[in-house]
Amino acid sequence: LQERKLIVQIIPFENRRQILVTHDVTETERIDMMRRDFVANASHELRTPLTVINGFLEIALAQPGLDMEIRTSHLKLMTEQGQRMQNLINDMLTLTRLESVDYPLRAELVHVRPLLEGILEEARALSAGKHKLTLEIEGPNLKGNLDELRSAFSNLVTNAIRYTPEAGSISLIWKSHERGAKFVVKDTGIGISQEHIARLTERFYRVDKSRSRETQGTGLGLAIVRHVLLRHRATLEIASVPEQGSTFKVVFPASQTVIPA
Ligand code: ADP
């Protein structure tokens, strides 16, 4: 149990009586710590690719006559690292925007079929024929923000591909649910052991840092998913068995669904 900290101030009032003011700073301190962690993590994540880029730039300056082939391979590595920094900054900006209290949800009618068909197409490109991908759609449309929902769904599908070895299967299902509607992403990938599941949606939390970097993950994907779902009153359930696969289930309440005419 966390110890609570209170600030107590005694303020003179009308020369006689006194008023006691208390502030609970436990929450403020927790937010402060989270902010410090975020800055430390983000700086570290940005420093790594920058170190690689600077290293290759130094080589290029010190060895102007470097073989063309080597030079091209260095340029390719630098481009990859630049892309990594860009992904990270984009995700950080998205997350900051989603978290700000004065950023209202711009809700519209979202047609689920074209949205999921588009995501499936992207997934096919990313998988490059290495996985079996299926999509099943039977259910209502949604009230929500198209871009936010696309980014949340696409994050879940991208993860399923990233963390599923070749020849594995990934199924996407959109279906009516007793509480409204559900979107399920099921993979036969590496899975996640129980102790990690509860922490997956924390910013920069990764089960295996090096693997996530290899796959161009920023470590912010599921934090973005969580915020988008919160804004849409939806819940996320994660079930997984190591080395067998994972299921990410999003449930939208009936208030967020629209039955097609
Ligand atoms: P990342 O960019 O590292 O993928 P995410 O926030 O999207 O960050 O995911 C956090 C971590 O959750 C990942 O690093 C990975 O360890 C784990 N994870 C997410 N999706 C899956 C999945 N489908 N199968 C196995 N592990 C997953």
Side-chain angles (χ1 to χ4, degrees):
L1 210 71
Q2 200 186 0
E3 195 183 316
R4 303 200 78 81
K5 279 194 195 160
L6 299 177
I7 291 180
V8 181
Q9 278 176 296
I10 300 172
I11 301 168
F13 184 68
E14 287 176 358
N15 291 332
R16 266 193 247 150
R17 286 194 202 114
Q18 287 179 332
I19 290 182
L20 209 70
V21 184
T22 65
H23 300 283
D24 187 343
V25 288
T26 323
E27 182 62 9
T28 326
E29 273 189 7
R30 195 183 64 84
I31 292 171
D32 232 41
M33 204 172 81
M34 270 176 61
R35 190 171 298 139
R36 273 200 307 272
D37 275 0
F38 185 56
V39 173
N41 277 320
S43 313
H44 178 76
E45 295 292 330
L46 285 169
R47 193 172 54 185
T48 314
L50 203 52
T51 307
V52 177
I53 294 174
N54 284 340
F56 285 125
L57 285 174
E58 272 171 31
I59 295 176
L61 279 172
Q63 304 176 38
L66 205 65
D67 181 72
M68 207 50 186
E69 214 169 296
I70 299 177
R71 184 166 292 248
T72 309
S73 93
H74 288 183
L75 283 173
K76 257 172 115 174
L77 289 167
M78 283 200 276
T79 313
E80 266 169 33
Q81 298 302 317
Q83 186 61 52
R84 196 171 133 192
M85 291 171 76
Q86 179 143 24
N87 292 346
L88 184 61
I89 290 169
N90 288 346
D91 277 1
M92 279 164 57
L93 288 173
T94 303
L95 198 56
T96 309
R97 201 180 58 228
L98 289 172
E99 278 178 337
S100 77
V101 279
D102 51 1
Y103 182 63
L105 178 73
R106 278 183 233 279
E108 56 203 334
L109 171 65
V110 174
H111 294 279
V112 173
R113 180 173 290 279
L115 169 64
L116 290 183
E117 283 173 349
I119 287 172
L120 179 70
E121 210 165 296
E122 271 173 34
R124 282 199 203 291
L126 184 66
S127 153
K130 294 192 188 113
H131 307 94
K132 182 171 171 270
L133 295 166
T134 53
L135 169 63
E136 218 179 290
I137 304 178
E138 174 278 303
N141 284 321
L142 276 174
K143 263 185 256 169
N145 184 277
L146 177 63
D147 290 335
E148 289 185 26
L149 289 169
R150 187 189 290 118
S151 116
F153 290 178
S154 149
N155 260 309
L156 295 176
V157 177
T158 306
N159 277 347
I161 293 174
R162 278 185 187 150
Y163 301 106
T164 301
E166 264 188 70
S169 320
I170 291 139
S171 34
L172 317 183
I173 301 158
W174 174 252
K175 241 189 183 153
S176 303
H177 180 269
E178 73 249 30
R179 276 183 271 146
K182 66 177 176 185
F183 176 54
V184 183
V185 181
K186 198 171 153 56
D187 67 54
T188 59
I190 62 169
I192 307 150
S193 55
Q194 219 51 38
E195 73 264 27
H196 294 293
I197 292 184
R199 301 196 56 194
L200 285 190
T201 61
E202 288 175 22
R203 308 144 156 197
F204 294 116
Y205 190 85
R206 293 153 163 151
V207 176
D208 177 348
K209 272 196 192 290
S210 59
R211 182 179 182 116
S212 160
R213 287 220 184 83
E214 260 170 48
T215 57
Q216 291 273 343
T218 62
L220 294 177
L222 288 178
I224 292 176
V225 169
R226 184 166 73 95
H227 279 281
V228 170
L229 298 185
L230 260 175
R231 289 160 64 79
H232 288 80
R233 299 193 181 85
T235 56
L236 176 66
E237 291 165 35
I238 307 171
S240 188
V241 179
E243 281 159 60
Q244 288 189 26
S246 313
T247 304
F248 286 74
K249 180 163 99 177
V250 179
V251 178
F252 290 90
S255 60
Q256 294 292 131
T257 64
V258 181
I259 309 293

